Amino acid sequence: MSDLFITGIGHLTTNVGDPDADAVVVVDDGIITYAGSMADAPDQEGRKRLDVSGNAVIPGFVDAHTHLVFAGDRSDEFARRLAGESYSDIAASGGGILSTVEATRSASEETLFDLAAQRVWTMIRGGTTTVEIKSGYGLDLETELRLLRVARRIGDELPVTIRTTFLGAHSVPREYRSDRDGYVELVINEMLPATADLADFCDVFVEDGVFSVDEARAIFEAAKALGLPARVHVEQLSHLGGAALAAEIGALSADHLDHVTPDDAAALAGAGVTCVLVPGAAYTLGTPQPSGRMLWDAGCTVVLATDCNPGTSYIETMGLVISLGVVQMGLTVEEAIWAATRGGALSLGLEDRGQIKEGSPADLVILDAPSPAHIPYRPASDLLSETIKDGQIL
Ligand code: NIG
Ligand code: FE
């Protein structure tokens, strides 16, 4: 049954101007056909009535930045960091991304699918209806392809919309340690062309000791020729100029941004680059958060995402992320909810998602609370009553 007549809505967040009291949402064949006041609503006839008893209805969350296809366990690194080692120290001593690469390379496609599907089911139960998934724990052609196939299969088999990103330039793999130019050439000449059919976007981790701004520029040029827009990991652990690069090349998104400056913010806003903030990472690493307030006030399109990954942010659901966006990044509740829904959709080029509007897919969340403020206010409570994906109540 995908034809719904949703009433009893205590608070409706549409992201296109909230209708007044007594709002109704109507869904036909998985598409929203009406969102507005009861007085102007079409007839209920033939549609299933869903009375949400004064609870809030918001668009499904759009998680625009995850690395959720991986194997292995890095909880030991979390303990090491708590004891004083830094993320970079652990990476330099053989841990970090490369330890997940080792575990992921030796996992079968079926195992990787099962692990990833479990994480995505947790996301769906948390109200997420669209997820971006990056590769980047293969760092060889065969494994990168496997990760992207798994990501696409998640979208085929689970009730969730998936967008995939090729992140072969996530780290230089061990076998290229003494030939980093060789690895960048491999990414450009072999991996990108071979993965392009399975990827919607291309990403590079621009960071001191990982990939330089010039290396990233070369990779993004090649990606652009294959039709893949850029999303970029920038200014996470240091300020290297990745945000300026994102603005220069007109990237779709600049992500992380922990060390972003006001000049970067002006450039990103001017170039229309969406700014994907992932507060779970700095929270888990115990480092300062970037200012969401500063970016928002500079005119940037601010996005909130989980960054779900085994190293810096093993967080699947958006509630905690929204809470951190409000409490630690200076966003208002309304801005944080927008950033986790409409902002994510814009960042993925999904113009019709992240909003409750006639003609948009019916991706909705019914809260077990009267207003969205309860999400950041009660971050450890399960406030999700129903997730509705393409009109289906999950
Ligand atoms: O987004 N910054 C790079 N990549 C991930 C971390 C990857 C890992 O530690 O496994 C991130 O934080
Ligand atoms: Fe990330």
Side-chain angles (χ1 to χ4, degrees), residues 42-93:
D43 204 48
Q44 192 193 309
E45 192 77 44
R47 302 181 176 100
K48 178 184 155 122
R49 184 190 184 89
L50 189 62
D51 186 337
V52 302
S53 314
N55 284 316
V57 176
I58 64 173
F61 296 125
V62 178
D63 189 348
H65 182 137
T66 84
H67 310 245
L68 64 83
V69 189
F70 63 86
D73 184 327
R74 279 163 59 197
S75 54
D76 60 317
E77 291 182 10
F78 181 63
R80 283 168 66 184
R81 285 199 304 269
L82 291 174
E85 279 183 83
S86 75
Y87 178 76
S88 308
D89 292 342
I90 292 170
S93 73

mmCIF file of all heavy atoms in Angstrom, residues 42-93:
data_model
loop_
_atom_site.group_PDB
_atom_site.id
_atom_site.type_symbol
_atom_site.label_atom_id
_atom_site.label_comp_id
_atom_site.label_asym_id
_atom_site.label_seq_id
_atom_site.Cartn_x
_atom_site.Cartn_y
_atom_site.Cartn_z
ATOM 1 N N PRO A 42 -6.987 16.879 -0.919
ATOM 2 C CA PRO A 42 -7.886 16.064 -1.745
ATOM 3 C C PRO A 42 -8.641 15.075 -0.864
ATOM 4 O O PRO A 42 -8.326 14.917 0.321
ATOM 5 C CB PRO A 42 -6.935 15.336 -2.695
ATOM 6 C CG PRO A 42 -5.624 15.303 -1.987
ATOM 7 C CD PRO A 42 -5.572 16.539 -1.143
ATOM 8 N N ASP A 43 -9.566 14.384 -1.458
ATOM 9 C CA ASP A 43 -10.369 13.427 -0.724
ATOM 10 C C ASP A 43 -9.509 12.267 -0.231
ATOM 11 O O ASP A 43 -8.564 11.864 -0.892
ATOM 12 C CB ASP A 43 -11.459 12.899 -1.660
ATOM 13 C CG ASP A 43 -12.630 12.382 -0.865
ATOM 14 O OD1 ASP A 43 -13.070 13.105 0.056
ATOM 15 O OD2 ASP A 43 -13.064 11.260 -1.151
ATOM 16 N N GLN A 44 -9.880 11.742 0.941
ATOM 17 C CA GLN A 44 -9.112 10.633 1.513
ATOM 18 C C GLN A 44 -9.388 9.310 0.806
ATOM 19 O O GLN A 44 -8.575 8.377 0.858
ATOM 20 C CB GLN A 44 -9.477 10.515 2.992
ATOM 21 C CG GLN A 44 -8.560 9.616 3.781
ATOM 22 C CD GLN A 44 -9.167 9.317 5.129
ATOM 23 O OE1 GLN A 44 -9.562 10.232 5.838
ATOM 24 N NE2 GLN A 44 -9.264 8.047 5.466
ATOM 25 N N GLU A 45 -10.501 9.264 0.139
ATOM 26 C CA GLU A 45 -11.008 8.082 -0.567
ATOM 27 C C GLU A 45 -9.915 7.193 -1.183
ATOM 28 O O GLU A 45 -9.088 7.661 -1.957
ATOM 29 C CB GLU A 45 -11.931 8.579 -1.697
ATOM 30 C CG GLU A 45 -12.775 7.511 -2.355
ATOM 31 C CD GLU A 45 -13.964 7.135 -1.484
ATOM 32 O OE1 GLU A 45 -14.619 8.042 -0.944
ATOM 33 O OE2 GLU A 45 -14.209 5.922 -1.336
ATOM 34 N N GLY A 46 -9.923 5.903 -0.822
ATOM 35 C CA GLY A 46 -9.014 4.953 -1.465
ATOM 36 C C GLY A 46 -7.586 4.992 -0.946
ATOM 37 O O GLY A 46 -6.743 4.231 -1.403
ATOM 38 N N ARG A 47 -7.320 5.887 -0.028
ATOM 39 C CA ARG A 47 -5.953 5.965 0.512
ATOM 40 C C ARG A 47 -5.956 5.491 1.958
ATOM 41 O O ARG A 47 -6.918 5.692 2.683
ATOM 42 C CB ARG A 47 -5.424 7.400 0.446
ATOM 43 C CG ARG A 47 -5.402 7.988 -0.953
ATOM 44 C CD ARG A 47 -4.833 9.400 -0.931
ATOM 45 N NE ARG A 47 -4.723 9.951 -2.278
ATOM 46 C CZ ARG A 47 -5.590 10.808 -2.823
ATOM 47 N NH1 ARG A 47 -6.640 11.218 -2.132
ATOM 48 N NH2 ARG A 47 -5.408 11.256 -4.038
ATOM 49 N N LYS A 48 -4.849 4.912 2.361
ATOM 50 C CA LYS A 48 -4.745 4.444 3.743
ATOM 51 C C LYS A 48 -4.522 5.638 4.668
ATOM 52 O O LYS A 48 -3.581 6.416 4.470
ATOM 53 C CB LYS A 48 -3.574 3.460 3.847
ATOM 54 C CG LYS A 48 -3.333 2.927 5.258
ATOM 55 C CD LYS A 48 -2.095 2.045 5.278
ATOM 56 C CE LYS A 48 -1.477 2.012 6.655
ATOM 57 N NZ LYS A 48 -1.373 0.666 7.201
ATOM 58 N N ARG A 49 -5.354 5.740 5.686
ATOM 59 C CA ARG A 49 -5.216 6.868 6.613
ATOM 60 C C ARG A 49 -4.174 6.529 7.664
ATOM 61 O O ARG A 49 -4.204 5.464 8.284
ATOM 62 C CB ARG A 49 -6.563 7.128 7.289
ATOM 63 C CG ARG A 49 -6.578 8.347 8.206
ATOM 64 C CD ARG A 49 -7.884 8.370 9.021
ATOM 65 N NE ARG A 49 -7.974 9.568 9.838
ATOM 66 C CZ ARG A 49 -8.502 10.707 9.419
ATOM 67 N NH1 ARG A 49 -8.987 10.808 8.195
ATOM 68 N NH2 ARG A 49 -8.553 11.760 10.218
ATOM 69 N N LEU A 50 -3.262 7.442 7.867
ATOM 70 C CA LEU A 50 -2.219 7.256 8.876
ATOM 71 C C LEU A 50 -2.297 8.451 9.811
ATOM 72 O O LEU A 50 -1.890 9.556 9.445
ATOM 73 C CB LEU A 50 -0.855 7.183 8.167
ATOM 74 C CG LEU A 50 0.372 6.783 8.984
ATOM 75 C CD1 LEU A 50 0.207 5.375 9.529
ATOM 76 C CD2 LEU A 50 1.619 6.839 8.102
ATOM 77 N N ASP A 51 -2.860 8.226 11.000
ATOM 78 C CA ASP A 51 -2.984 9.319 11.974
ATOM 79 C C ASP A 51 -1.764 9.278 12.876
ATOM 80 O O ASP A 51 -1.572 8.301 13.606
ATOM 81 C CB ASP A 51 -4.271 9.131 12.787
ATOM 82 C CG ASP A 51 -4.532 10.319 13.708
ATOM 83 O OD1 ASP A 51 -3.558 11.037 14.052
ATOM 84 O OD2 ASP A 51 -5.703 10.513 14.087
ATOM 85 N N VAL A 52 -0.947 10.313 12.837
ATOM 86 C CA VAL A 52 0.321 10.266 13.579
ATOM 87 C C VAL A 52 0.192 10.895 14.975
ATOM 88 O O VAL A 52 1.214 11.135 15.648
ATOM 89 C CB VAL A 52 1.491 10.868 12.769
ATOM 90 C CG1 VAL A 52 1.647 10.132 11.444
ATOM 91 C CG2 VAL A 52 1.314 12.361 12.525
ATOM 92 N N SER A 53 -1.008 11.137 15.413
ATOM 93 C CA SER A 53 -1.296 11.493 16.816
ATOM 94 C C SER A 53 -0.483 12.670 17.345
ATOM 95 O O SER A 53 0.076 12.609 18.440
ATOM 96 C CB SER A 53 -1.037 10.292 17.726
ATOM 97 O OG SER A 53 -1.597 9.132 17.213
ATOM 98 N N GLY A 54 -0.375 13.710 16.557
ATOM 99 C CA GLY A 54 0.296 14.913 17.058
ATOM 100 C C GLY A 54 1.808 14.875 16.946
ATOM 101 O O GLY A 54 2.504 15.794 17.404
ATOM 102 N N ASN A 55 2.349 13.840 16.341
ATOM 103 C CA ASN A 55 3.808 13.763 16.186
ATOM 104 C C ASN A 55 4.279 14.559 14.961
ATOM 105 O O ASN A 55 3.486 14.945 14.104
ATOM 106 C CB ASN A 55 4.247 12.297 16.069
ATOM 107 C CG ASN A 55 4.225 11.623 17.437
ATOM 108 O OD1 ASN A 55 4.676 12.197 18.423
ATOM 109 N ND2 ASN A 55 3.670 10.417 17.489
ATOM 110 N N ALA A 56 5.599 14.761 14.916
ATOM 111 C CA ALA A 56 6.184 15.545 13.824
ATOM 112 C C ALA A 56 6.506 14.660 12.629
ATOM 113 O O ALA A 56 6.838 13.483 12.780
ATOM 114 C CB ALA A 56 7.450 16.243 14.315
ATOM 115 N N VAL A 57 6.414 15.252 11.443
ATOM 116 C CA VAL A 57 6.792 14.569 10.196
ATOM 117 C C VAL A 57 7.853 15.434 9.510
ATOM 118 O O VAL A 57 7.691 16.651 9.380
ATOM 119 C CB VAL A 57 5.566 14.383 9.268
ATOM 120 C CG1 VAL A 57 5.996 13.760 7.941
ATOM 121 C CG2 VAL A 57 4.505 13.510 9.947
ATOM 122 N N ILE A 58 8.933 14.775 9.116
ATOM 123 C CA ILE A 58 10.038 15.491 8.444
ATOM 124 C C ILE A 58 10.466 14.675 7.217
ATOM 125 O O ILE A 58 10.142 13.491 7.117
ATOM 126 C CB ILE A 58 11.248 15.710 9.395
ATOM 127 C CG1 ILE A 58 11.849 14.365 9.817
ATOM 128 C CG2 ILE A 58 10.856 16.505 10.628
ATOM 129 C CD1 ILE A 58 13.145 14.498 10.628
ATOM 130 N N PRO A 59 11.232 15.263 6.304
ATOM 131 C CA PRO A 59 11.750 14.473 5.178
ATOM 132 C C PRO A 59 12.722 13.406 5.695
ATOM 133 O O PRO A 59 13.354 13.590 6.736
ATOM 134 C CB PRO A 59 12.508 15.511 4.332
ATOM 135 C CG PRO A 59 11.959 16.845 4.744
ATOM 136 C CD PRO A 59 11.607 16.691 6.198
ATOM 137 N N GLY A 60 12.849 12.295 4.983
ATOM 138 C CA GLY A 60 13.831 11.283 5.335
ATOM 139 C C GLY A 60 15.231 11.894 5.305
ATOM 140 O O GLY A 60 15.513 12.798 4.511
ATOM 141 N N PHE A 61 16.121 11.390 6.175
ATOM 142 C CA PHE A 61 17.480 11.933 6.199
ATOM 143 C C PHE A 61 18.253 11.506 4.953
ATOM 144 O O PHE A 61 18.101 10.379 4.462
ATOM 145 C CB PHE A 61 18.231 11.447 7.446
ATOM 146 C CG PHE A 61 17.622 11.934 8.729
ATOM 147 C CD1 PHE A 61 17.256 11.043 9.726
ATOM 148 C CD2 PHE A 61 17.399 13.290 8.938
ATOM 149 C CE1 PHE A 61 16.677 11.484 10.903
ATOM 150 C CE2 PHE A 61 16.818 13.748 10.114
ATOM 151 C CZ PHE A 61 16.452 12.840 11.106
ATOM 152 N N VAL A 62 19.065 12.422 4.454
ATOM 153 C CA VAL A 62 19.936 12.143 3.306
ATOM 154 C C VAL A 62 21.368 12.203 3.830
ATOM 155 O O VAL A 62 21.874 13.282 4.130
ATOM 156 C CB VAL A 62 19.711 13.176 2.185
ATOM 157 C CG1 VAL A 62 20.656 12.892 1.013
ATOM 158 C CG2 VAL A 62 18.254 13.152 1.715
ATOM 159 N N ASP A 63 21.987 11.035 3.991
ATOM 160 C CA ASP A 63 23.333 10.961 4.560
ATOM 161 C C ASP A 63 24.333 11.019 3.400
ATOM 162 O O ASP A 63 24.571 10.031 2.712
ATOM 163 C CB ASP A 63 23.471 9.648 5.349
ATOM 164 C CG ASP A 63 24.755 9.590 6.155
ATOM 165 O OD1 ASP A 63 25.645 10.450 5.936
ATOM 166 O OD2 ASP A 63 24.880 8.678 6.998
ATOM 167 N N ALA A 64 24.935 12.180 3.199
ATOM 168 C CA ALA A 64 25.698 12.446 1.970
ATOM 169 C C ALA A 64 27.183 12.108 2.070
ATOM 170 O O ALA A 64 27.952 12.471 1.162
ATOM 171 C CB ALA A 64 25.524 13.913 1.582
ATOM 172 N N HIS A 65 27.594 11.420 3.136
ATOM 173 C CA HIS A 65 29.034 11.106 3.249
ATOM 174 C C HIS A 65 29.228 9.899 4.162
ATOM 175 O O HIS A 65 29.126 10.017 5.383
ATOM 176 C CB HIS A 65 29.777 12.331 3.806
ATOM 177 C CG HIS A 65 31.263 12.178 3.939
ATOM 178 N ND1 HIS A 65 32.151 13.183 3.574
ATOM 179 C CD2 HIS A 65 32.038 11.159 4.407
ATOM 180 C CE1 HIS A 65 33.389 12.783 3.812
ATOM 181 N NE2 HIS A 65 33.351 11.558 4.331
ATOM 182 N N THR A 66 29.466 8.737 3.551
ATOM 183 C CA THR A 66 29.783 7.550 4.354
ATOM 184 C C THR A 66 30.867 6.710 3.674
ATOM 185 O O THR A 66 31.057 6.791 2.455
ATOM 186 C CB THR A 66 28.561 6.612 4.575
ATOM 187 O OG1 THR A 66 28.413 5.743 3.443
ATOM 188 C CG2 THR A 66 27.267 7.376 4.807
ATOM 189 N N HIS A 67 31.526 5.923 4.501
ATOM 190 C CA HIS A 67 32.518 4.944 4.017
ATOM 191 C C HIS A 67 32.103 3.595 4.614
ATOM 192 O O HIS A 67 32.864 2.985 5.358
ATOM 193 C CB HIS A 67 33.915 5.259 4.551
ATOM 194 C CG HIS A 67 34.412 6.662 4.391
ATOM 195 N ND1 HIS A 67 35.499 6.973 3.593
ATOM 196 C CD2 HIS A 67 34.025 7.849 4.948
ATOM 197 C CE1 HIS A 67 35.760 8.286 3.671
ATOM 198 N NE2 HIS A 67 34.880 8.835 4.495
ATOM 199 N N LEU A 68 30.879 3.155 4.341
ATOM 200 C CA LEU A 68 30.339 2.073 5.172
ATOM 201 C C LEU A 68 30.605 0.662 4.676
ATOM 202 O O LEU A 68 30.194 -0.296 5.334
ATOM 203 C CB LEU A 68 28.843 2.307 5.414
ATOM 204 C CG LEU A 68 27.874 2.273 4.231
ATOM 205 C CD1 LEU A 68 27.470 0.855 3.870
ATOM 206 C CD2 LEU A 68 26.649 3.082 4.580
ATOM 207 N N VAL A 69 31.280 0.501 3.528
ATOM 208 C CA VAL A 69 31.599 -0.858 3.085
ATOM 209 C C VAL A 69 33.035 -1.180 3.502
ATOM 210 O O VAL A 69 34.002 -0.687 2.905
ATOM 211 C CB VAL A 69 31.448 -1.030 1.561
ATOM 212 C CG1 VAL A 69 31.571 -2.508 1.200
ATOM 213 C CG2 VAL A 69 30.125 -0.475 1.071
ATOM 214 N N PHE A 70 33.162 -1.956 4.560
ATOM 215 C CA PHE A 70 34.496 -2.318 5.055
ATOM 216 C C PHE A 70 34.393 -3.566 5.912
ATOM 217 O O PHE A 70 33.314 -3.923 6.398
ATOM 218 C CB PHE A 70 35.107 -1.174 5.874
ATOM 219 C CG PHE A 70 34.332 -0.822 7.120
ATOM 220 C CD1 PHE A 70 34.543 -1.492 8.324
ATOM 221 C CD2 PHE A 70 33.371 0.186 7.105
ATOM 222 C CE1 PHE A 70 33.824 -1.175 9.473
ATOM 223 C CE2 PHE A 70 32.636 0.505 8.251
ATOM 224 C CZ PHE A 70 32.865 -0.178 9.432
ATOM 225 N N ALA A 71 35.536 -4.209 6.122
ATOM 226 C CA ALA A 71 35.621 -5.325 7.065
ATOM 227 C C ALA A 71 36.649 -4.965 8.140
ATOM 228 O O ALA A 71 37.380 -3.988 8.014
ATOM 229 C CB ALA A 71 36.025 -6.598 6.326
ATOM 230 N N GLY A 72 36.704 -5.780 9.171
ATOM 231 C CA GLY A 72 37.705 -5.574 10.229
ATOM 232 C C GLY A 72 37.171 -4.784 11.405
ATOM 233 O O GLY A 72 36.025 -4.332 11.397
ATOM 234 N N ASP A 73 38.008 -4.638 12.401
ATOM 235 C CA ASP A 73 37.621 -3.998 13.666
ATOM 236 C C ASP A 73 38.780 -3.112 14.134
ATOM 237 O O ASP A 73 39.903 -3.591 14.269
ATOM 238 C CB ASP A 73 37.332 -5.092 14.703
ATOM 239 C CG ASP A 73 36.821 -4.525 16.020
ATOM 240 O OD1 ASP A 73 37.235 -3.409 16.411
ATOM 241 O OD2 ASP A 73 36.018 -5.204 16.682
ATOM 242 N N ARG A 74 38.499 -1.841 14.337
ATOM 243 C CA ARG A 74 39.565 -0.930 14.785
ATOM 244 C C ARG A 74 39.260 -0.297 16.143
ATOM 245 O O ARG A 74 39.726 0.799 16.438
ATOM 246 C CB ARG A 74 39.821 0.137 13.713
ATOM 247 C CG ARG A 74 40.721 -0.408 12.601
ATOM 248 C CD ARG A 74 40.665 0.423 11.348
ATOM 249 N NE ARG A 74 41.061 1.795 11.539
ATOM 250 C CZ ARG A 74 40.779 2.781 10.671
ATOM 251 N NH1 ARG A 74 40.086 2.516 9.577
ATOM 252 N NH2 ARG A 74 41.177 4.014 10.895
ATOM 253 N N SER A 75 38.508 -1.027 16.954
ATOM 254 C CA SER A 75 38.191 -0.478 18.276
ATOM 255 C C SER A 75 39.461 -0.305 19.113
ATOM 256 O O SER A 75 39.514 0.558 19.996
ATOM 257 C CB SER A 75 37.175 -1.369 18.999
ATOM 258 O OG SER A 75 37.637 -2.699 19.036
ATOM 259 N N ASP A 76 40.500 -1.104 18.815
ATOM 260 C CA ASP A 76 41.768 -0.957 19.547
ATOM 261 C C ASP A 76 42.366 0.436 19.322
ATOM 262 O O ASP A 76 42.976 1.016 20.219
ATOM 263 C CB ASP A 76 42.770 -2.036 19.111
ATOM 264 C CG ASP A 76 43.093 -1.949 17.622
ATOM 265 O OD1 ASP A 76 42.135 -1.757 16.817
ATOM 266 O OD2 ASP A 76 44.274 -2.021 17.256
ATOM 267 N N GLU A 77 42.168 0.975 18.109
ATOM 268 C CA GLU A 77 42.728 2.312 17.822
ATOM 269 C C GLU A 77 42.014 3.392 18.636
ATOM 270 O O GLU A 77 42.618 4.400 19.018
ATOM 271 C CB GLU A 77 42.590 2.648 16.334
ATOM 272 C CG GLU A 77 43.474 1.791 15.466
ATOM 273 C CD GLU A 77 43.359 2.172 13.998
ATOM 274 O OE1 GLU A 77 42.738 3.211 13.668
ATOM 275 O OE2 GLU A 77 43.889 1.407 13.180
ATOM 276 N N PHE A 78 40.747 3.176 18.863
ATOM 277 C CA PHE A 78 39.983 4.134 19.673
ATOM 278 C C PHE A 78 40.605 4.191 21.070
ATOM 279 O O PHE A 78 40.878 5.262 21.617
ATOM 280 C CB PHE A 78 38.516 3.691 19.725
ATOM 281 C CG PHE A 78 37.611 4.605 20.507
ATOM 282 C CD1 PHE A 78 37.402 5.915 20.108
ATOM 283 C CD2 PHE A 78 36.949 4.145 21.638
ATOM 284 C CE1 PHE A 78 36.559 6.768 20.823
ATOM 285 C CE2 PHE A 78 36.111 4.985 22.361
ATOM 286 C CZ PHE A 78 35.915 6.288 21.961
ATOM 287 N N ALA A 79 40.911 2.993 21.621
ATOM 288 C CA ALA A 79 41.540 2.933 22.947
ATOM 289 C C ALA A 79 42.918 3.591 22.916
ATOM 290 O O ALA A 79 43.297 4.324 23.840
ATOM 291 C CB ALA A 79 41.641 1.478 23.398
ATOM 292 N N ARG A 80 43.680 3.362 21.849
ATOM 293 C CA ARG A 80 45.021 3.975 21.756
ATOM 294 C C ARG A 80 44.925 5.498 21.706
ATOM 295 O O ARG A 80 45.734 6.208 22.297
ATOM 296 C CB ARG A 80 45.755 3.451 20.517
ATOM 297 C CG ARG A 80 46.308 2.032 20.696
ATOM 298 C CD ARG A 80 46.760 1.423 19.386
ATOM 299 N NE ARG A 80 47.917 2.106 18.811
ATOM 300 C CZ ARG A 80 48.443 1.799 17.615
ATOM 301 N NH1 ARG A 80 47.912 0.814 16.898
ATOM 302 N NH2 ARG A 80 49.486 2.453 17.162
ATOM 303 N N ARG A 81 43.935 6.005 21.001
ATOM 304 C CA ARG A 81 43.786 7.465 20.932
ATOM 305 C C ARG A 81 43.402 8.036 22.290
ATOM 306 O O ARG A 81 43.890 9.089 22.701
ATOM 307 C CB ARG A 81 42.749 7.852 19.867
ATOM 308 C CG ARG A 81 43.266 7.722 18.446
ATOM 309 C CD ARG A 81 42.424 8.534 17.476
ATOM 310 N NE ARG A 81 41.023 8.159 17.536
ATOM 311 C CZ ARG A 81 40.448 7.219 16.778
ATOM 312 N NH1 ARG A 81 41.165 6.573 15.882
ATOM 313 N NH2 ARG A 81 39.175 6.940 16.908
ATOM 314 N N LEU A 82 42.533 7.302 22.986
ATOM 315 C CA LEU A 82 42.146 7.782 24.314
ATOM 316 C C LEU A 82 43.360 7.820 25.235
ATOM 317 O O LEU A 82 43.450 8.635 26.150
ATOM 318 C CB LEU A 82 41.057 6.884 24.913
ATOM 319 C CG LEU A 82 39.688 6.980 24.220
ATOM 320 C CD1 LEU A 82 38.727 5.946 24.790
ATOM 321 C CD2 LEU A 82 39.101 8.382 24.346
ATOM 322 N N ALA A 83 44.336 6.941 24.956
ATOM 323 C CA ALA A 83 45.552 6.908 25.776
ATOM 324 C C ALA A 83 46.587 7.916 25.284
ATOM 325 O O ALA A 83 47.699 7.971 25.821
ATOM 326 C CB ALA A 83 46.129 5.492 25.774
ATOM 327 N N GLY A 84 46.244 8.695 24.257
ATOM 328 C CA GLY A 84 47.123 9.807 23.895
ATOM 329 C C GLY A 84 47.719 9.785 22.502
ATOM 330 O O GLY A 84 48.268 10.788 22.044
ATOM 331 N N GLU A 85 47.672 8.642 21.797
ATOM 332 C CA GLU A 85 48.230 8.617 20.434
ATOM 333 C C GLU A 85 47.298 9.387 19.501
ATOM 334 O O GLU A 85 46.082 9.385 19.682
ATOM 335 C CB GLU A 85 48.353 7.178 19.936
ATOM 336 C CG GLU A 85 49.585 6.449 20.450
ATOM 337 C CD GLU A 85 49.662 5.046 19.852
ATOM 338 O OE1 GLU A 85 50.167 4.919 18.718
ATOM 339 O OE2 GLU A 85 49.200 4.103 20.510
ATOM 340 N N SER A 86 47.873 10.000 18.460
ATOM 341 C CA SER A 86 47.008 10.730 17.522
ATOM 342 C C SER A 86 46.604 9.828 16.364
ATOM 343 O O SER A 86 47.218 8.793 16.117
ATOM 344 C CB SER A 86 47.731 11.964 16.974
ATOM 345 O OG SER A 86 48.703 11.565 16.027
ATOM 346 N N TYR A 87 45.570 10.273 15.637
ATOM 347 C CA TYR A 87 45.096 9.533 14.451
ATOM 348 C C TYR A 87 46.248 9.353 13.462
ATOM 349 O O TYR A 87 46.462 8.259 12.930
ATOM 350 C CB TYR A 87 43.939 10.332 13.812
ATOM 351 C CG TYR A 87 43.365 9.717 12.555
ATOM 352 C CD1 TYR A 87 42.520 8.623 12.608
ATOM 353 C CD2 TYR A 87 43.673 10.263 11.299
ATOM 354 C CE1 TYR A 87 41.978 8.066 11.444
ATOM 355 C CE2 TYR A 87 43.140 9.713 10.137
ATOM 356 C CZ TYR A 87 42.298 8.610 10.213
ATOM 357 O OH TYR A 87 41.776 8.078 9.058
ATOM 358 N N SER A 88 47.037 10.430 13.262
ATOM 359 C CA SER A 88 48.141 10.357 12.299
ATOM 360 C C SER A 88 49.249 9.427 12.790
ATOM 361 O O SER A 88 49.838 8.689 11.995
ATOM 362 C CB SER A 88 48.718 11.752 12.051
ATOM 363 O OG SER A 88 47.687 12.636 11.718
ATOM 364 N N ASP A 89 49.547 9.445 14.102
ATOM 365 C CA ASP A 89 50.573 8.536 14.651
ATOM 366 C C ASP A 89 50.176 7.085 14.393
ATOM 367 O O ASP A 89 51.002 6.263 13.990
ATOM 368 C CB ASP A 89 50.704 8.700 16.182
ATOM 369 C CG ASP A 89 51.278 10.055 16.561
ATOM 370 O OD1 ASP A 89 51.872 10.711 15.680
ATOM 371 O OD2 ASP A 89 51.117 10.458 17.743
ATOM 372 N N ILE A 90 48.919 6.795 14.636
ATOM 373 C CA ILE A 90 48.441 5.406 14.480
ATOM 374 C C ILE A 90 48.505 4.994 13.014
ATOM 375 O O ILE A 90 48.941 3.889 12.684
ATOM 376 C CB ILE A 90 47.012 5.261 15.059
ATOM 377 C CG1 ILE A 90 47.060 5.421 16.579
ATOM 378 C CG2 ILE A 90 46.400 3.916 14.675
ATOM 379 C CD1 ILE A 90 45.699 5.545 17.254
ATOM 380 N N ALA A 91 48.154 5.913 12.129
ATOM 381 C CA ALA A 91 48.228 5.616 10.690
ATOM 382 C C ALA A 91 49.684 5.362 10.294
ATOM 383 O O ALA A 91 49.989 4.417 9.556
ATOM 384 C CB ALA A 91 47.640 6.765 9.887
ATOM 385 N N ALA A 92 50.594 6.185 10.814
ATOM 386 C CA ALA A 92 52.013 6.046 10.453
ATOM 387 C C ALA A 92 52.598 4.739 10.979
ATOM 388 O O ALA A 92 53.554 4.201 10.408
ATOM 389 C CB ALA A 92 52.792 7.246 10.992
ATOM 390 N N SER A 93 52.011 4.211 12.038
ATOM 391 C CA SER A 93 52.557 2.967 12.606
ATOM 392 C C SER A 93 51.842 1.733 12.057
ATOM 393 O O SER A 93 51.906 0.651 12.645
ATOM 394 C CB SER A 93 52.468 3.009 14.135
ATOM 395 O OG SER A 93 51.116 2.832 14.525
#
